[in-house]
Amino acid sequence: MDSAPEVLPSSSSLILNEVSDNYERTKFNNSEYLSQVGYSRHCMYIDGRPRILISGEFHYWRIPDHTRWRTILLSIKSSGFNCVRLYFNWGFHSPSESKYYFDSHRDIDYLLTLCEDLQLFVIAAPGPYICAETQAGGFPSWLLAKRNVRIRHLRTHLIKKYDIQFARYSI
């Protein structure tokens, strides 16, 4: 049995041919990014090689001291994980309208660089709704306080529909 890793073909035909008509096409440009990230129905390819991502979530906003992130991420890695999923919490970064903070324990650039240094892949979950058992699902409290904005509501058949006023803030 050959133990050499399978290499992704140079053309994007593998990925394009395996996308069923039952699935929506995404804006992911296969021809532009295929050498870096791709997928088939069998696996994900990173840098042209098949990878198995073993991931856990890391809620950085729950740890007020960013100097502890490295130790925690090393513990995650030493437990056999090679990837972390990061939710980016809008409410945490924007405690008041038109104010955004990305310093200290809110420093996403530092966090992403740290993951890169530790050779951990990252699955980014930017929201705006992140759930993660957070207050208001990650929406900022100042947005919830606006009476003319309905964050989301249920319509017939439990289909979630976003309010047009909300859309002005989230797009």
Side-chain angles (χ1 to χ4, degrees):
M1 178 180 210
D2 186 8
S3 62
E6 178 186 350
V7 177
L8 182 66
S10 59
S11 82
S12 61
S13 62
L14 173 69
I15 291 173
L16 295 176
N17 290 337
E18 291 193 16
V19 175
S20 167
D21 290 335
N22 296 331
Y23 295 99
E24 289 183 33
R25 299 256 181 211
T26 65
K27 293 189 178 194
F28 181 76
N29 184 337
N30 289 317
S31 61
E32 185 175 348
Y33 300 110
L34 186 61
S35 65
Q36 297 159 348
V37 177
Y39 59 92
S40 72
R41 68 178 149 190
H42 301 291
C43 69
M44 179 168 227
Y45 293 88
I46 300 173
D47 295 328
R49 301 211 176 272
R51 303 285 180 145
I52 296 174
L53 297 181
I54 303 170
S55 179
E57 292 184 6
F58 179 62
H59 298 172
Y60 64 93
W61 68 88
R62 297 185 195 275
I63 304 157
D65 179 5
H66 73 286
T67 62
R68 295 179 54 212
W69 293 354
R70 175 178 282 280
T71 303
I72 294 167
L73 290 170
L74 281 170
S75 295
I76 290 170
K77 186 172 181 175
S78 69
S79 297
F81 295 91
N82 64 355
C83 182
V84 291
R85 180 175 173 171
L86 302 175
Y87 288 111
F88 299 109
N89 186 331
W90 182 13
F92 181 66
H93 291 281
S94 181
S96 57
E97 191 168 1
S98 300
K99 302 280 186 194
Y100 295 91
Y101 299 100
F102 294 95
D103 58 348
S104 184
H105 61 293
R106 291 178 166 96
D107 191 341
I108 291 176
D109 183 53
Y110 170 77
L111 177 57
L112 293 172
T113 301
L114 180 59
C115 289
E116 182 179 20
D117 291 346
L118 298 175
Q119 297 181 335
L120 284 168
F121 292 108
V122 170
I123 298 172
Y129 178 76
I130 62 168
C131 188
E133 293 73 43
T134 58
Q135 182 178 359
F139 289 114
S141 57
W142 58 262
L143 183 62
L144 297 173
K146 294 182 176 291
R147 292 195 163 273
N148 63 335
V149 176
R150 291 179 299 171
I151 300 300
R152 62 181 209 176
H153 54 88
L154 297 178
R155 300 274 296 206
T156 58
H157 307 295
L158 300 176
I159 297 171
K160 294 175 184 172
K161 182 174 176 149
Y162 288 89
D163 184 52
I164 194 66
Q165 277 298 104
F166 169 71
R168 290 184 181 140
Y169 289 96
S170 65
I171 297 176

